[in-house]
Structure formats: C-alpha cells, structure tokens
Amino acid sequence: MGPLRFAARDDYAGIDRVVDLERAVARSLTQVQSLAVPRGLRTRLARIAKAFEAPLEGAKRRKTVARALEVLAPMAAPSFAEDLLVRPLSVLPGVGPKRAATFARRSLGCVADLLFHLPARYDDRRALLSVEALQVGLRATFVARVLLVDFVTSRGRGGRFRRVLQAVVGDDTGTVNLKWFHGGEALQGILTKGARILVTGDVRRYRFHKELLHPDVDVLGEDESAPEDPELQRLVADYPALEGVNPRAVRRLLAAALDEYADLVGGHLPEALVLQRRLPEPADALRGVHRPSPDEDVEALRERRSPAYERLVLEELYLLEVGLALRRAAQADRPGIAIRGDGPRTRAAPDALPFRLTGAQRRVWGEIRADLERPHPMNRLLQGDVGSGKTAVAFLAAVAVAESGRQTALMAPTELLAEQHARTLRHLAESGGEATALRIELLTASVPRADAEGVRARVAAGEADLVLGTHALVQRDVRFADLALAVVDEQHRFGVLQRAALGAKGGVAPDVLVMTATPIPRTLALTLYGDLDLSVIDEMPPGRTPVVTEVFRQGQGERVVQLIHQTAARGEQIYVVYPLVEESEKMDLRAAVESAQRIARAFPELRVDLVHGRLDAAARAEAMRRFRCGETQVLVSTSVIEVGVDVPNATLIIVEHAERFGLAQLHQLRGRVGRGTRPGTCALVARGGGEGSEARIEAMLETTDGFRIADADLRIRGPGEFLGTRQHGKLPDLRIADLVRDARLVSVAREAALAQVRDDPGLSQASALRDAVRARWGSRLALADVG
C-alpha cells in the first residue's frame, strides 16, 4: 500500500510524481493473489489489479487510487489476519452449519483450530507391499483389486443386528478382507468389483484370515504402470480419530484450509533464530506438516523433529516463554520489602542449628538471603529430594524476617504436614538459643475455635513471628500485622489462586518461597514456574543410607511377615500404607482398618495403631505421638503420611497395592524410612496392575534419586498428568509442543524470550508480539496488567 498512500498524500498533490504507479500496484497485487488466502480476498485483489493494468491519468487516476485504498484499508489492520483465521469452518467449501457444529464439538471451532490439528501419524505410501507380505499387527499400504463387495449382516453388542460392508481384495500374491462397521454406504459407490484401489490400514487376524477394519481407501487409475499416479509415491498425513467425522473429510477440509488460509498465519520468532536454525516460514511449516513432500524423512515427521515441526513447536513455546518473562519482569519491578540479611541473629542462626548444614543448603540459603535483601519481591522455587533439608532453609529465612520485625507464613497442604512442620520448627527454634528463637503459631481447621481465635489475635497483633497452617491461613479472618515472607510447601497440591491469596495477605507484596519435595524435571519446572527463580538442594545430609526397595507379588505374604518380625526384633518401627482414592474411599478405608486388626492379631507382642484422614485431629495427633515416641511399633495408615512424617526409628515401610500409587507418591512414601542412621527398606506389595504400574515399580527398583524418578514419571505419564497439574490449572495448554519430546527446544525458546524482554521491556517496540502473547496466554498467565 506504500505507493498508493504516497500518491494520496496532501490531497493527491504528488500523485504524478510516483513513477510506474500502475505497474508497481498491479505487480504487488498479483504476487499477493498467489498466496494461500481466502478466495473472496483474492477476487477483490484481482479487481484492483485489473484497474491498474493500464496507465491512468487525471481524475480517473485519483478515483482509482482512492477506491483501492478504501478496499485495502481493512487489510492493514493488525487483527485482519487473525480475524480471518477465527472464522467458523462453515466458510470452507462443503461445510454447512450442521457439520461445522459437529467439528466444533470436537474442539475444531475455527479455521486456525483446523490448521493446527496436527497429524497423529504418517502413512508411507512410497513403500508398497504385496498382499502376501502383509504382517499382522503392522500398518501397511498396498494396491489391490476389488474381487467381491457386499453388505453382510452381523450380530453386534446387545444381540442387535447391524449391516457391515465387506470387501475381498487381492493381487497376484493373495487376498485379504476389508470391513467397515459404519460409513459403508459412502464407500459402496466407489468399491465396485474390479476397481483398482490403494488400501492403508492396520492388519489384524480374524479366525484364519488377515483383515483390515476401516482402512483408508483410494480408487486408482487403470494404468498399473503409471508412476505419476497422485496417490502413489507420497507421504499421507493420518489424523486423530474424530467421532462422527470421516478421516477423508478431515484431510479434504485441511487441504482447503491450507489452500485458502495458510499464508495468513504469522510468525513471531526472532529473525536471527529463524536464520540460525534454518526454519521455514509458518505457512510453509504448516504445509510441510500436513502435506509433506515425497522426499521428506518420514521418521523425522513421525517423531515431530522435522524443520517444519520445529518451527511450529518453537513458535508456541516462544509465545509462552515471552509471557512468562513478561510476568517475571513485572514481578521483579514491583516494590517489595527489603529484609536485612546480615543481622547478628541471621548470621549466627546457621551455626546454632542442632546439625551442620550441607554445602547445597548453604548455597541455597545464600541465594534466598540475596533475594530477601532486594527491595523487590522474591519469587523462588526450592526443590529438594525427600529429607534434603528444605525446611531448615525456610526456617533460616524466617529468622531473618523476624530479626527485621516482620512475619512469615508457611502454608502446607495437609494438617498432618502442618503439624509436623510445627514440631520440627519449634525444635529448631528452641535448640539454638537467642539466635533461633521464634514465636511460632499453628492454625488449621482442627484447632479448637477458642484457641484459633487466640492465634488469630496474636498474629494480627504482631505477636507471632512464624505462622504455620493449611488453607485456613488464606481465610478472610486471618490478618497479619506485617507479613514479609510467604512459604508454600508442596506447591503442586495448591491452586494458583491459593498461592496468590497467601501472597496478598501482606500490605506490600511479600517475598514468596515455593518448596517441593517432589522433584520436577528442569524442562517442566521452567514451564510450570517460569516466573520463579530455581534453587535445588541436590545433596543429602551425611549419614543417610539409601533405602533398599523390594517388590513382593501375590503369594509372597510370608516373606513380608518375616520382614516385620526381623524389623521389630531390632527395636525398629514399621509403616504399613494402604491407598486411598476417592472412587473407592470406603473400601480402601475398610481395608486399612481390617489390616490393622489382622496385624494386631498376628503380632500380639507389638502395639499397632491406625491413622487416616477421617480421624479427628486429637486422635490423629495422639497416634502420631505414640509412634514418634516408640510406644507403637506398627503404624497402619492411608497415604496421609506421604509427606512430612519424620520418625528416624522407622526403618520399614510396606506399601500395599503399590500398583495403585503414582510414582511420585511411591517415592515420597519411601522417603519416610531411612531418615536416621539405620538403613531403611521399602517393600512394595503389588497385586496386579498394567503396563504403567509395572513401569513405575521398575523405576522404583532402578533408582532412589528423586530427579531420576521425576524424569521417569514424566516419561510414563506425560506432562498432562504429571503432578496432577492439569487439575490445578498449572500446565499450559500446549497444542503442538510436548514438554518431554521437545525438552531441548524449551531452553532455546526461553533464552530467546528472555533476550527479547530484556532488550524491549513491556514489548513497546513489538506490539504484534505483545498482542499475540496476550491472545494466546493472557488469561492463563495473568498478563492483563503486563506490558
């Protein structure tokens, strides 16, 4: 539009000074017409180009320029391409409102959704097999002739009869059956006897014959020697099954969307990164993914590591990482509370503890202390394996905050963990004299009302230095006199709103320390907590011996009984843990109760206690006290003891129905033993289970390293289920990238995003990028006030 705008300036004063105006406009518009843009848009551009085919003069020239600018003006709007891409699928040929609604119910509501509906796999039609060479269990493509085709009647589920289209096809080497249980009417017209067809599908065995169910079929020409046959010698994208939608229809619609909309998809990656990694333009990447060339590396496509996939993955990750970088920058600039890190108590506290800090603890404490001293809020994620000493580091931070005359809150996900923290931190506070003395309060839903009112009054009056609790801490009636540090333990069990609610308890934004004993692979941590700095305690306290893990199957109960006898004979204690899942809570609880009674009968010389989430706080606390003091030898429990229970004399944990626990849970439970100087044993009693449960148990046998466990968990479950993040609204809704497969690209996108935001804070010089980030991630990343 440049030449047109110049010609129209100052009431067309310079229109005659524009050299070759008509030719320049016609050439530009002709080039645009060759792009994959909607047909109606191409028609409008063609009309304008035609008007500029011949030289124009005087009033006609001005009128033609004015008309062209009027038509082209909407196309210059920043949202023009985006508005076209969010059109409903009914704009595509052959899609009426009813069919568009069917696609919308499958999360394909607009053209952009369809363009980014990526293939599930690729059929390599360059490698054709003979019918004889078909192998059961493998996907194959072959050419055959239809020998017989007809509908047959088959008895389906519930005894009802249904019509099944069945075809017998073959070549010179043999025959094979094809069947369609639904959609056969549409195929009956093309599957005529004698037709030459191309068949792609999964080969299976039915009775004594090979067959393919619902294969993909294309009718070929009759010339068997024609190498240019369009259905042969190519790679074909195969899409995830959509109920009620024929796969051929998906391919046909995608072809139309590519031809009319692909070039409207813009890219946001820095040009230097695109050149460095030799990436295609976004439109070419979409074409390369949906319509790969015959010479493409099919394995690279299947593994999503082709240049086309890399471009699309990096585009998505880059927008996410820019959003995280913007949020992090905004948080870093907010006014906070500077906590003095070199006061006499703060300096003395590490050496006043009843144990020597590990090198990793000292390093992490230094990172946190530096954050506390800054006049901006700390936002730090502290990772450390079970028993690595995260709580001690948080305690040192609370001492520094108390020395500055302010308060710390620590929120735990369960009352049991909050109570354990209270015991641990009170012990630390009392063990080091004046240097570690803190006024500590506990506030949970089980604290009696009168006591809770007293706790809230002391907190509001500033008479508490460190307040421990559960969700009760974020209730409206809890007011802090001067909250400067919010510690959130086991962050993955809290929603984002709860973390924010605790942080909002301070007048000025408090420092936030997020702790987790469930190690998160670095790739996932950078994505889930990209707005947080990361500290890792990767060293265990001296004297800890690795826990031995053993697996027991059905019928090996006698060996488990021997383990209990041997452990008790050494004067050591035992946990027996049962799963507790919502769907079968009553049954699980009954199993735990019956197990406690059975163990008590089998070992009359041992005292057996039972702990579960339905016990009232007083009974639970008393049972835990007896176990800690050694009055009880066996503690039967549900997974309520997963985190926070610290009994050094407990050296054996028996996990019943281990196949029903997640890998992170199993690792946490194993961390309950071996916490003293004596070695621990974790006995996993597996009673069935599938491939996933076997993979979890195998990982437990292979390593006791929490970070390797986390990597295995991520591989087994995938990022969507890891830590239950989807339920807690933490995992970004990635539609292309996969945090396991694309781990190497997360860091690439992150570095590029940090550089972009560092060079252009708020993206004032990159409004298109800022708008794209907000459109894609604004509500998920709370970016409304960023940039």
Side-chain angles (χ1 to χ4, degrees):
M1 288 180 62
L4 292 173
R5 284 177 175 156
F6 184 84
R9 279 170 54 186
D10 301 327
D11 197 22
Y12 300 94
I15 191 169
D16 294 327
R17 296 202 301 272
V18 182
V19 180
D20 286 336
L21 173 64
E22 292 81 1
R23 188 185 303 174
V25 173
R27 185 170 60 245
S28 296
L29 293 176
T30 302
Q31 289 172 349
V32 174
Q33 287 177 70
S34 66
L35 298 176
V37 294
R39 191 175 307 140
L41 179 57
R42 287 201 298 271
T43 301
R44 273 181 279 160
L45 295 174
R47 289 196 192 113
I48 299 173
K50 188 173 179 62
F52 283 88
E53 278 182 348
L56 301 167
E57 294 181 359
K60 185 176 182 182
R61 198 183 205 200
R62 286 196 295 274
K63 186 176 179 181
T64 305
V65 168
R67 176 62 184 150
L69 284 171
E70 183 183 346
V71 174
L72 293 172
M75 302 178 198
S79 63
F80 178 72
E82 187 64 31
D83 291 343
L84 291 176
L85 287 169
V86 296
R87 284 177 168 182
L89 294 187
S90 54
V91 300
L92 297 175
V95 182
K98 188 175 179 181
R99 198 169 197 192
T102 300
F103 277 102
R105 286 194 296 272
R106 310 294 182 265
S107 299
L108 297 176
C110 66
V111 174
D113 292 337
L114 187 62
L115 287 173
F116 287 97
H117 181 64
L118 302 185
R121 59 190 169 191
Y122 291 87
D123 293 324
D124 190 353
R125 297 186 178 179
R126 301 168 304 183
L128 299 177
L129 297 178
S130 65
V131 171
E132 182 185 46
L134 299 179
Q135 294 184 48
V136 173
L138 297 181
R139 193 169 179 83
T141 299
F142 59 95
V143 175
R145 285 205 180 264
V146 179
L147 305 177
L148 181 67
V149 59
D150 201 0
F151 276 100
V152 297
T153 302
S154 168
R155 188 185 294 274
R157 290 178 182 174
R160 289 180 297 181
F161 289 95
R162 57 183 176 182
R163 297 178 77 220
V164 179
L165 182 65
Q166 183 168 305
V168 179
V169 303
D171 61 10
D172 295 338
T173 67
T175 63
V176 67
N177 295 335
L178 313 181
K179 288 180 183 176
W180 291 267
F181 291 105
H182 49 78
E185 290 78 6
L187 289 166
Q188 189 180 21
I190 64 172
L191 287 177
T192 56
K193 186 175 180 179
R196 181 168 168 263
I197 60 174
L198 181 77
V199 184
T200 301
D202 298 311
V203 184
R204 66 172 218 162
R205 186 174 298 283
Y206 178 68
R207 293 179 179 168
F208 302 108
H209 303 283
K210 295 174 186 175
E211 70 173 18
L212 288 84
L213 297 184
H214 295 277
D216 197 16
V217 173
D218 292 284
V219 177
L220 301 176
E222 286 303 311
D223 186 357
E224 298 184 20
S225 63
E228 69 278 2
D229 197 322
E231 293 301 331
L232 299 177
Q233 306 300 310
R234 70 185 182 108
L235 297 168
V236 177
D238 192 25
Y239 295 90
L242 296 172
E243 187 182 347
V245 181
N246 188 296
R248 294 167 62 85
V250 175
R251 274 208 295 272
R252 191 165 54 249
L253 277 182
L254 257 161
L258 282 172
D259 291 341
E260 294 205 19
Y261 289 88
D263 283 311
L264 294 171
V265 177
H268 301 283
L269 288 179
E271 192 60 34
L273 181 61
V274 172
L275 293 173
Q276 175 195 345
R277 302 187 74 87
R278 299 180 181 179
L279 300 176
E281 289 300 308
D284 293 329
L286 284 171
R287 283 185 276 264
V289 160
H290 292 295
R291 201 184 278 159
S293 65
D295 57 352
E296 188 67 71
D297 180 350
V298 68
E299 289 308 315
L301 284 170
R302 287 169 176 165
E303 295 170 12
R304 296 199 172 189
R305 54 178 176 81
S306 67
Y309 271 111
E310 184 170 321
R311 176 69 196 244
L312 298 180
V313 167
L314 274 175
E315 283 286 346
E316 182 170 50
L317 290 175
Y318 180 64
L319 290 184
L320 172 62
E321 294 295 343
V322 168
L324 291 169
L326 284 172
R327 189 169 72 174
R328 182 173 178 172
Q331 290 172 340
D333 287 340
R334 285 186 304 165
I337 304 165
I339 300 298
R340 186 181 171 191
D342 62 348
R345 287 183 61 197
T346 303
R347 286 201 312 272
D351 295 325
L353 295 174
F355 47 79
R356 184 178 177 81
L357 293 178
T358 64
Q361 284 175 305
R362 289 185 180 276
R363 183 191 71 243
V364 168
W365 167 228
E367 293 167 353
I368 292 171
R369 189 173 61 226
D371 279 356
L372 292 174
E373 290 177 335
R374 295 174 63 245
H376 302 289
M378 169 175 72
N379 282 282
R380 186 167 288 276
L381 171 65
L382 173 56
Q383 284 190 249
D385 212 340
V386 179
S388 62
K390 297 178 300 301
T391 308
V393 174
F395 176 78
L396 293 176
V399 169
V401 169
E403 190 172 15
S404 292
R406 294 184 165 90
Q407 295 170 299
T408 297
L410 191 156
M411 187 164 69
T414 66
E415 292 190 359
L416 197 64
L417 182 51
E419 291 159 5
Q420 172 68 39
H421 276 318
R423 284 189 296 271
T424 301
L425 294 170
R426 281 174 176 147
H427 172 64
L428 294 180
E430 294 163 2
S431 65
E434 186 180 344
T436 59
L438 290 180
R439 297 169 295 176
I440 297 176
E441 297 285 356
L442 175 66
L443 186 61
T444 67
S446 295
V447 173
R449 179 177 296 180
D451 294 343
E453 287 177 0
V455 170
R456 285 193 287 270
R458 289 189 291 277
V459 171
E463 296 169 5
D465 300 315
L466 173 57
V467 187
L468 306 159
T470 54
H471 305 75
L473 290 183
V474 298
Q475 292 174 354
R476 286 184 183 176
D477 56 356
V478 178
R479 293 181 177 82
F480 289 83
D482 195 350
L483 181 64
L485 172 62
V487 181
V488 182
D489 197 15
E490 294 303 322
Q491 158 68 15
H492 67 277
R493 292 169 173 244
F494 290 108
V496 185
L497 296 177
Q498 289 163 325
R499 173 178 142 194
L502 182 58
K505 288 288 184 179
V508 179
D511 293 312
V512 175
L513 178 64
V514 173
M515 301 197 303
T516 179
T518 306
I520 307 169
R522 181 171 174 78
T523 302
L524 198 56
L526 290 177
T527 309
L528 292 178
Y529 304 109
D531 57 327
L532 304 183
D533 294 304
L534 182 62
S535 287
V536 179
I537 299 180
D538 51 8
E539 179 183 358
M540 298 297 282
R544 291 283 177 92
T545 54
V547 176
V548 175
T549 305
E550 298 184 46
V551 176
F552 298 91
R553 306 288 180 177
Q554 197 85 26
Q556 293 183 298
E558 195 57 42
R559 289 182 57 198
V560 177
V561 169
Q562 287 175 1
L563 271 178
I564 295 175
H565 272 302
Q566 293 164 359
T567 304
R570 293 193 300 268
E572 297 163 10
Q573 292 163 281
I574 301 112
Y575 294 107
V576 179
V577 182
Y578 275 79
L580 185 61
V581 292
E582 209 170 303
E583 293 81 5
S584 56
E585 189 169 341
K586 289 182 181 177
M587 182 179 70
D588 290 332
L589 202 52
R590 188 170 65 246
V593 172
E594 290 172 355
S595 172
Q597 294 168 348
R598 193 168 58 250
I599 293 170
R601 288 195 299 269
F603 300 93
E605 75 280 11
L606 303 181
R607 178 162 184 174
V608 180
D609 252 337
L610 173 66
V611 169
H612 54 79
R614 290 193 174 183
L615 278 181
D616 65 67
R620 188 175 64 236
E622 179 58 22
M624 292 306 302
R625 185 199 65 76
R626 288 195 296 267
F627 191 65
R628 274 196 313 277
C629 296
E631 296 174 17
T632 301
Q633 287 75 48
V634 181
L635 182 66
V636 179
S637 166
T638 58
S639 53
V640 66
I641 67 149
E642 177 191 334
V643 290
V645 179
D646 190 358
V647 180
N649 192 48
T651 61
L652 172 63
I653 185 165
I654 299 166
V655 183
E656 286 282 354
H657 291 287
E659 75 280 355
R660 291 172 60 189
F661 288 88
L663 186 48
Q665 266 189 315
L666 290 174
H667 180 62
Q668 291 279 5
L669 289 169
R670 177 167 60 183
R672 296 307 105 212
V673 296
R675 299 177 74 88
T677 56
R678 302 178 185 183
T681 299
C682 175
L684 304 177
V685 181
R687 306 179 188 278
E691 185 179 335
S693 63
E694 285 301 313
R696 292 193 293 274
I697 289 171
E698 190 63 33
M700 288 288 289
L701 292 173
E702 284 179 0
T703 183
T704 57
D705 184 310
F707 288 93
R708 289 178 59 191
I709 288 283
D711 286 333
D713 200 12
L714 188 56
R715 282 196 308 274
I716 293 167
R717 288 199 285 168
E721 297 302 322
F722 187 81
L723 299 181
T725 45
R726 200 177 292 284
Q727 293 90 316
H728 288 282
K730 283 295 296 177
L731 186 70
D733 184 17
L734 298 168
R735 56 186 182 186
I736 303 171
D738 181 289
L739 296 178
V740 180
R741 184 194 65 227
D742 302 316
R744 62 191 175 86
L745 297 179
V746 172
S747 295
V748 173
R750 182 177 173 81
E751 290 306 313
L754 291 174
Q756 173 69 49
V757 174
R758 187 169 54 245
D759 295 342
D760 182 14
L763 303 185
S764 57
Q765 306 301 313
S767 57
L769 174 60
R770 185 181 64 231
D771 293 344
V773 171
R774 279 182 172 158
R776 182 73 176 90
W777 297 111
S779 60
R780 298 297 299 273
L781 298 180
L783 294 175
D785 58 346
V786 173

Short mmCIF file of all heavy atoms in Angstrom, two decimals, residues 165 170 191 196 388 502 571 606 737:
data_model
loop_
_atom_site.label_atom_id
_atom_site.label_comp_id
_atom_site.label_asym_id
_atom_site.label_seq_id
_atom_site.Cartn_x
_atom_site.Cartn_y
_atom_site.Cartn_z
N LEU A 165 -20.19 -53.51 5.73
CA LEU A 165 -19.68 -53.57 4.37
C LEU A 165 -18.41 -54.39 4.37
O LEU A 165 -17.47 -54.10 5.13
CB LEU A 165 -19.40 -52.16 3.84
CG LEU A 165 -18.89 -52.11 2.39
CD1 LEU A 165 -19.96 -52.62 1.43
CD2 LEU A 165 -18.46 -50.69 2.01
N GLY A 170 -7.51 -58.34 -3.64
CA GLY A 170 -6.30 -59.12 -3.77
C GLY A 170 -5.42 -58.68 -4.92
O GLY A 170 -5.80 -57.83 -5.75
N LEU A 191 -16.35 -48.69 -4.27
CA LEU A 191 -15.76 -50.03 -4.21
C LEU A 191 -16.52 -50.97 -5.15
O LEU A 191 -17.25 -51.87 -4.74
CB LEU A 191 -15.81 -50.56 -2.78
CG LEU A 191 -14.83 -49.94 -1.78
CD1 LEU A 191 -15.05 -50.52 -0.40
CD2 LEU A 191 -13.40 -50.18 -2.22
N ARG A 196 -9.44 -50.86 -9.13
CA ARG A 196 -8.06 -50.91 -8.61
C ARG A 196 -7.97 -49.86 -7.50
O ARG A 196 -8.24 -48.68 -7.73
CB ARG A 196 -7.08 -50.62 -9.74
CG ARG A 196 -5.62 -50.66 -9.36
CD ARG A 196 -4.76 -50.64 -10.63
NE ARG A 196 -3.37 -50.39 -10.33
CZ ARG A 196 -2.78 -49.19 -10.41
NH1 ARG A 196 -3.47 -48.14 -10.83
NH2 ARG A 196 -1.52 -49.05 -10.11
N SER A 388 16.11 -33.75 52.27
CA SER A 388 17.31 -32.99 51.90
C SER A 388 17.50 -31.74 52.76
O SER A 388 18.56 -31.12 52.73
CB SER A 388 17.26 -32.60 50.42
OG SER A 388 16.14 -31.76 50.17
N LEU A 502 -2.39 -16.14 49.57
CA LEU A 502 -1.47 -16.03 50.70
C LEU A 502 -0.54 -14.83 50.50
O LEU A 502 -0.29 -14.05 51.43
CB LEU A 502 -0.65 -17.31 50.84
CG LEU A 502 0.34 -17.35 52.02
CD1 LEU A 502 -0.39 -17.12 53.34
CD2 LEU A 502 1.09 -18.66 52.05
N GLY A 571 14.16 -53.65 67.33
CA GLY A 571 13.68 -52.47 68.05
C GLY A 571 13.33 -51.32 67.13
O GLY A 571 13.21 -50.17 67.59
N LEU A 606 3.28 -56.79 69.55
CA LEU A 606 3.52 -55.45 69.03
C LEU A 606 2.28 -54.57 69.22
O LEU A 606 1.14 -55.05 69.15
CB LEU A 606 3.86 -55.50 67.54
CG LEU A 606 5.07 -56.36 67.12
CD1 LEU A 606 5.28 -56.28 65.62
CD2 LEU A 606 6.33 -55.92 67.86
N ALA A 737 3.55 -28.33 21.09
CA ALA A 737 4.76 -28.74 21.80
C ALA A 737 4.45 -29.82 22.82
O ALA A 737 3.33 -29.91 23.35
CB ALA A 737 5.39 -27.53 22.50
#
